[in-house]
């Protein structure tokens, strides 16, 4: 209850002694007794009327308070960041950014404990704002109350906001533990990224709510830099959020362009927020420069994030995108609500822990709630994606079983066909009608060709391929198994299609070699890389060369070259035009190379087969194929060089 309301209005008077010698304005002051609750209701609710922005520049004024006897009270002069109250015997500190150690009580930032003496009490008040924003000046004196009486009211006034804050942090912590379990124990990578995002939110909330809880543990003696320091975790939240979106939608694999744009966004936001915070700390808070330059660069981030959002909405086909979009809209709504309240409706934002909305919630509580809702939506999206992938894997495994059954039938037909061809070839060789040397050479060439076919289709190779497919299925890699089967089937078809042909086009041979290397690379989980370099003259690709001569050389490079390496191997096949009548084909690997006693010796059945074929082709067509195999000059692998004339 108000017992006495005294208003003192004076002109400018001299305030001498320990408080200085300059004339200061004497401001009126409201004085009441046992009215702490009513002052709280009228002063510390963040309504348009309660927090009128009255000053921007520093102000200094005097207060005169008469007292019938000695008593204690709480003085409120306004809500600026730095407040100094001078008496004849003491200096009292207050304000939002005043170091905690300078306060008489951790809660004495706006309600300043004062002791009144009998008679007239003079106060000189200096108020300033670090960031140049507006602050209020409305002096009040509450008699008969101490700061301890205000503490319970501070907490009660913000009980709803504090409860929401605690519940949200608790829920987010549980989600963090849940994600860590799935990542560490179950080895699910998406939960690792999700956990990083939850951690970034917790870090942001922990630092941001410091302003409300008055911890200020990071910069207890330099609180004016606290706002600058808080900019960095905000940028970190956005960067990790983008990383979660990349992993959640598998953007790196599905859309290379969107992945690159997202990476640019992440790098820019980390650099910009870090430099923004560093500039504020070093410059002493030059906000004019920030608004003039930094926020123009922030527009680039806004454009990039908007582009990424609309690109995902309209061009990304995966239904998982809706979980990401809906969760992001929840956060967007919370931010829009605050912007609308502050800049459109004109409702002042709660300036610190001691101010609250009439509803009992600080603005920030809505953002905390939205983070929890968003995180739960993302978690549902992860579970939906895992369930969908498991269903796809089951369907794909069933399809693979069908393909394997078809493959067994195909292999049986291939072996039967191969056997028939070998028998027919043997019968031709035994015919006594082969009277001329040329006919015998043709028959031997056919036998050599069929031997090469047998080398490609031998049961050992088929058995290893089946084992590889089976391993892919067992290890839950259905996509790799499907890719392996597709390549394997294409090789089988090409072998059967060309089994009766002595010559193939250069392009057909190169495609067969590429399929073989791709198959082996997939089979051995990227043990080596390979590169096929076609001739610059595209017309050469249609010219014909002897078939099935290059694959055995590549097989040697895989098994005897790069397979024993600890690091990743490299196999290159390069075709270059030598003359109009021939091409030069080089096969290089970075393996262990040939030992001194092995150079020039043809121990491999495939190499002997190639040599036999070269000799027969010369007898039949008088065209010489040059074949040379040696260690590379740098002693890092083997170089095979073949000069092959064209056969028409």
């Amino acid at each position: 209850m108000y017992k006495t309301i005294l208003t003192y209005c004076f002109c400018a008077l001299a305030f001498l002694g320990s408080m200085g010698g300059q004339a200061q304005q004497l401001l009126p002051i409201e004085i009441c007794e046992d009215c702490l609750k009513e002052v709280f209701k009228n002063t510390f609710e963040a309504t348009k009327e309660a927090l009128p922005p009255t000053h921007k520049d520093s102000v200094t004024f005097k207060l005169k308070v008469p007292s019938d006897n000695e008593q204690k009270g709480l003085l409120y002069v306004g809500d600026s960041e730095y407040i100094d109250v001078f008496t004849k015997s003491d200096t009292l500190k207050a304000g939002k950014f005043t170091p905690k150690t300078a306060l008489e009580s951790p809660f004495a930032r706006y309600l300043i404990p004062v002791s009144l003496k009998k008679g007239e009490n003079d106060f000189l008040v200096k108020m300033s704002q670090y960031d140049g924003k507006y602050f209020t000046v409305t002096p009040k004196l509450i008699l008969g109350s101490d700061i301890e009486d205000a503490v319970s009211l501070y907490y009660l006034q913000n009980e709803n906001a504090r409860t929401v804050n605690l519940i949200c942090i608790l829920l987010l912590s549980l989600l963090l533990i849940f994600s860590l379990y799935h990542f560490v124990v179950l080895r699910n990578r998406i939960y690792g990224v999700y956990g990083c995002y939850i951690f970034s939110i917790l870090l942001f909330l922990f630092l941001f709510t410091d302003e409300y809880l008055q911890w200020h543990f990071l910069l207890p003696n330099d609180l004016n830099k606290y706002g600058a320091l808080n900019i960095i975790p905000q940028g970190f939240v956005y960067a990790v959020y983008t990383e979660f979106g990349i992993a959640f939608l598998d953007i790196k694999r599905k859309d290379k362009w969107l992945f690159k744009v997202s990476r640019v966004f992440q790098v820019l936001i980390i650099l910009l927020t870090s430099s923004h915070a560093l500039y504020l700390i070093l410059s002493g808070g030059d906000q004019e420069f920030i608004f003039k330059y930094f926020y123009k660069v922030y527009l680039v981030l806004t454009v990039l994030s908007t582009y990424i959002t609309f690109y995902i909405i309209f061009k990304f086909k995966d239904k998982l995108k809706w979980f990401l979009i809906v969760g992001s809209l929840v956060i967007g709504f919370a931010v829009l609500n605050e912007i609308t309240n502050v800049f459109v409706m004109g409702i002042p934002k709660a300036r610190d822990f001691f101010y609250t909305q009439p509803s009992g919630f600080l603005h920030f509580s809505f953002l905390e709630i939205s983070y929890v809702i968003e995180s739960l939506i993302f978690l549902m999206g992860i579970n939906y994606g895992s369930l969908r992938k498991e269903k796809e894997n089951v369907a794909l495994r069933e399809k693979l079983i069908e393909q394997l059954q078809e493959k067994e039938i195909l292999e049986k037909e291939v072996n039967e066909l191969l056997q028939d061809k070998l028998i027919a070839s043997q019968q031709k060789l035994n015919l006594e009608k082969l009277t001329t040397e040329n006919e015998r050479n043709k028959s031997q060439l056919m036998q050599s060709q069929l031997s090469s076919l047998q080398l490609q289709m031998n049961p050992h190779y088929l058995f290893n391929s089946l084992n590889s497919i089976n391993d892919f299925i067992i290890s839950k890699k259905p996509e790799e198994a499907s890719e392996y089967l597709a390549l394997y089937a294409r090789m089988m078809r090409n072998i059967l299609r060309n089994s009766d042909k002595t010559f193939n086009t250069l392009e057909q041979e190169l495609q067969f070699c590429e399929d073989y290397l791709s198959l082996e690379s997939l089979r051995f989980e990227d043990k080596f890389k390979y590169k096929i370099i076609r001739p610059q003259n595209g017309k050469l690709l249609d010219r014909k060369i002897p078939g099935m001569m290059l694959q055995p050389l590549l097989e040697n490079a895989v098994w005897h070259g790069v397979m024993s390496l600890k690091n990743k191997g490299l196999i290159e096949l390069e075709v270059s035009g030598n003359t109009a009548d021939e091409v030069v084909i080089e096969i290089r690997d970075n393996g262990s190379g040939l030992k001194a006693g092995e150079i020039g010796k043809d121990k491999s059945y495939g190499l002997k087969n190639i040599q036999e074929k070269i000799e027969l082709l010369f007898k039949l067509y008088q065209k010489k194929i040059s074949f040379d195999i040696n260690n590379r000059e740098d002693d890092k692998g083997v170089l095979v060089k073949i000069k092959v004339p064209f056969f028409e």
Side-chain angles (χ1 to χ4, degrees):
M1 295 288 297
Y2 280 93
K3 290 185 177 180
T4 308
I5 299 179
L6 301 176
T7 305
Y8 295 90
C9 297
F10 298 95
C11 301
L13 297 174
F15 193 71
L16 305 175
S18 62
M19 293 175 285
Q22 294 182 351
Q24 303 293 339
Q25 183 180 3
L26 185 65
L27 291 187
I29 180 171
E30 291 184 4
I31 303 177
C32 64
E33 190 171 354
D34 296 329
C35 56
L36 186 59
K37 290 184 179 180
E38 191 169 348
V39 170
F40 257 91
K41 180 176 176 58
N42 295 332
T43 304
F44 292 100
E45 282 189 357
T47 63
K48 190 172 183 179
E49 293 76 19
L51 295 176
T54 56
H55 293 80
K56 183 175 182 180
D57 299 322
S58 300
V59 296
T60 304
F61 56 90
K62 293 195 304 178
L63 299 172
K64 282 185 175 293
V65 181
S67 179
D68 296 334
N69 49 38
E70 293 185 359
Q71 58 182 324
K72 292 183 177 181
L74 294 175
L75 178 65
Y76 173 81
V77 293
D79 70 336
S80 69
E81 294 177 346
Y82 293 98
I83 302 172
D84 293 306
V85 178
F86 301 96
T87 67
K88 290 183 178 180
S89 60
D90 202 358
T91 300
L92 306 175
K93 296 284 187 178
K96 178 180 177 181
F97 282 163
T98 298
K100 219 172 184 180
T101 53
L103 302 175
E104 287 197 14
S105 167
F107 290 86
R109 293 195 176 277
Y110 298 107
L111 290 175
I112 308 168
V114 295
S115 297
L116 300 178
K117 297 180 179 180
K118 186 177 180 178
E120 193 166 272
N121 296 267
D122 296 326
F123 298 96
L124 176 64
V125 181
K126 293 184 178 180
M127 301 175 63
S128 60
Q129 192 80 356
Y130 176 79
D131 58 7
K133 295 180 181 178
Y134 285 95
F135 59 92
T136 65
V137 177
T138 54
K140 299 176 184 178
L141 178 63
I142 305 105
L143 297 176
S145 298
D146 198 356
I147 191 64
E148 297 302 325
D149 301 324
V151 171
S152 59
L153 291 177
Y154 280 141
Y155 280 117
L156 181 63
Q157 185 80 357
N158 294 276
E159 186 64 30
N160 290 335
R162 292 171 59 245
T163 302
V164 170
N165 178 276
L166 181 61
I167 292 174
C168 289
I169 289 179
L170 178 61
L171 290 174
L172 289 170
S173 299
L174 291 175
L175 290 176
L176 177 60
I177 295 172
F178 177 79
S179 61
L180 288 176
Y181 168 77
H182 277 265
F183 175 65
V184 176
V185 178
L186 302 182
R187 302 292 182 180
N188 194 331
R189 180 182 176 274
I190 186 61
Y191 279 99
V193 186
Y194 176 73
C196 287
Y197 180 54
I198 299 296
F199 175 77
S200 70
I201 295 174
L202 286 171
L203 179 64
F204 170 63
L205 295 180
F206 184 71
L207 292 176
F208 195 92
T209 53
D210 178 81
E211 186 174 344
Y212 299 112
L213 299 181
Q214 299 292 298
W215 293 335
H216 299 298
F217 68 98
L218 290 175
L219 300 167
N221 297 314
D222 201 1
L223 299 184
N224 57 355
K225 296 179 180 179
Y226 177 78
L229 189 66
N230 189 251
I231 294 173
I232 298 176
Q234 294 181 49
F236 182 61
V237 168
Y238 282 108
V240 181
Y241 163 80
T242 305
E243 185 65 28
F244 172 76
I246 291 172
F248 181 62
L249 299 178
D250 198 11
I251 290 175
K252 184 177 182 180
R253 183 175 64 86
K254 295 179 180 178
D255 196 313
K256 299 293 186 184
W257 169 250
L258 183 58
F259 174 73
K260 292 178 180 178
V261 173
S262 301
R263 277 286 183 263
V264 170
F265 174 80
Q266 288 175 294
V267 172
L268 283 179
I269 198 167
I270 292 296
L271 289 177
L272 187 58
T273 52
S274 299
S275 57
H276 184 173
L278 183 63
Y279 176 80
L280 286 176
I281 292 173
L282 296 179
S283 67
D286 184 2
Q287 295 288 342
E288 183 178 352
F289 181 85
I290 295 296
F291 280 98
K292 188 175 181 180
Y293 297 104
F294 270 92
Y295 284 107
K296 290 181 181 180
V297 185
Y298 275 116
L299 288 176
V300 176
L301 293 177
T302 304
V303 172
L304 277 177
S305 62
T306 304
Y307 171 80
I308 292 172
T309 301
F310 281 97
Y311 190 97
I312 291 175
I313 292 175
F314 294 107
K315 292 189 177 181
F316 217 78
K317 305 302 180 183
D318 197 334
K319 292 182 180 179
L320 283 175
K321 68 182 180 182
W322 296 113
F323 288 94
L324 192 67
I325 292 169
V326 172
S328 303
L329 284 176
V330 172
I331 296 293
F333 176 79
V335 174
L336 182 62
N337 175 67
E338 182 167 340
I339 292 174
T340 302
N341 285 336
V342 176
F343 296 102
V344 179
M345 304 299 294
I347 300 176
K349 180 181 177 181
R351 301 183 185 180
D352 60 48
F353 176 67
F354 303 132
Y355 289 91
T356 185
Q357 299 297 311
S359 64
F361 287 95
L362 296 171
H363 278 305
F364 191 68
S365 296
F366 292 106
L367 187 60
E368 292 172 306
I369 295 170
S370 66
Y371 270 128
V372 173
I373 296 174
E374 181 204 44
S375 300
L376 291 173
I377 292 173
F378 287 171
L379 182 61
M380 289 189 290
I382 292 173
N383 291 332
Y384 172 80
S386 299
L387 180 62
R388 187 181 68 176
K389 188 172 184 178
E390 184 61 30
K391 290 181 178 179
E392 291 174 352
N393 288 346
V394 171
L396 192 52
R397 283 196 291 269
E398 291 176 352
K399 182 180 178 182
L400 285 173
I401 292 174
E402 295 177 0
Q403 290 178 332
L404 285 173
Q405 292 173 346
E406 295 176 0
K407 185 174 180 292
E408 290 177 0
I409 297 173
L410 175 62
E411 289 173 356
K412 183 178 180 181
E413 293 176 353
V414 168
N415 286 329
E416 291 176 353
L417 177 61
L418 178 61
Q419 188 65 27
D420 292 341
K421 288 182 176 291
L422 289 173
I423 293 173
S425 177
Q426 189 64 37
Q427 290 174 347
K428 289 182 180 180
L429 286 173
N430 294 331
L431 290 177
E432 295 180 354
K433 295 180 180 180
L434 299 178
T435 56
T436 65
E437 181 70 19
N438 192 50
E439 288 174 337
R440 285 195 297 272
N441 289 337
K442 287 183 179 180
S443 178
Q444 291 177 12
L445 181 60
M446 181 180 294
Q447 178 64 42
S448 177
Q449 182 76 10
L450 291 175
S451 297
S452 179
L453 174 62
Q454 176 67 24
L455 181 67
Q456 302 297 329
M457 300 292 293
N458 68 78
H460 178 71
Y461 180 78
L462 297 177
F463 180 75
N464 285 340
S465 299
L466 280 172
N467 281 343
S468 298
I469 296 170
N470 186 57
D471 289 340
F472 283 136
I473 297 173
I474 292 175
S475 58
K476 296 183 179 180
K477 297 180 180 178
E479 294 182 2
E480 288 85 344
S482 181
E483 182 181 355
Y484 191 97
L485 269 176
L487 285 170
Y488 186 82
R490 185 161 70 180
M491 283 191 66
M492 293 298 105
R493 286 193 297 269
N494 287 337
I495 289 173
L496 290 175
R497 186 183 299 117
N498 300 320
S499 61
D500 289 330
K501 297 179 181 178
T502 304
F503 305 105
N504 290 323
T505 65
L506 179 59
E507 175 59 30
Q508 288 174 331
E509 284 297 298
L510 293 179
Q511 185 60 57
F512 182 79
C513 292
E514 189 168 359
D515 288 344
Y516 170 76
L517 290 174
S518 179
L519 196 66
E520 294 292 73
S521 176
L522 181 63
R523 174 181 172 188
F524 295 107
E525 298 183 349
D526 295 326
K527 177 69 175 176
F528 64 91
K529 296 190 297 184
Y530 65 88
K531 191 175 184 180
I532 304 291
I533 304 174
R534 288 171 167 77
Q536 295 182 354
N537 186 356
K539 295 181 180 180
L540 298 179
L541 296 173
D542 295 328
R543 305 290 294 275
K544 290 187 176 181
I545 64 172
M548 294 188 182
M549 287 186 61
L550 302 179
Q551 185 274 337
L553 300 173
L554 293 173
E555 187 171 343
N556 277 351
V558 172
W559 286 96
H560 304 295
V562 301
M563 197 55 63
S564 60
L565 294 176
K566 294 182 179 180
N567 301 322
K568 180 172 285 192
L570 175 63
I571 298 175
E572 293 180 317
L573 190 157
E574 181 177 4
V575 181
S576 57
N578 188 25
T579 66
D581 298 323
E582 67 177 9
V583 290
V584 177
I585 302 174
E586 291 187 356
I587 297 176
R588 301 181 290 269
D589 67 68
N590 65 340
S592 55
L594 298 171
K595 297 180 181 179
E598 295 177 347
I599 299 177
K601 294 184 179 181
D602 298 333
K603 291 186 177 182
S604 167
Y605 178 77
L607 295 180
K608 290 180 179 180
N609 183 273
I610 291 173
Q611 192 63 43
E612 181 183 352
K613 194 179 294 185
I614 289 173
E615 294 174 359
L616 287 171
L617 287 169
F618 180 74
K619 291 179 181 180
L620 287 169
Y621 300 98
Q622 286 74 49
K623 291 190 176 183
K624 180 66 175 177
I625 298 176
S626 173
F627 176 79
D628 185 42
I629 177 169
N630 280 292
N631 285 327
R632 295 168 62 175
E633 293 182 359
D634 54 6
D635 292 329
K636 294 182 179 179
V638 173
L639 171 63
V640 179
K641 188 173 183 179
I642 313 173
K643 291 183 180 179
V644 185
F646 293 117
F647 292 78
E648 302 300 340

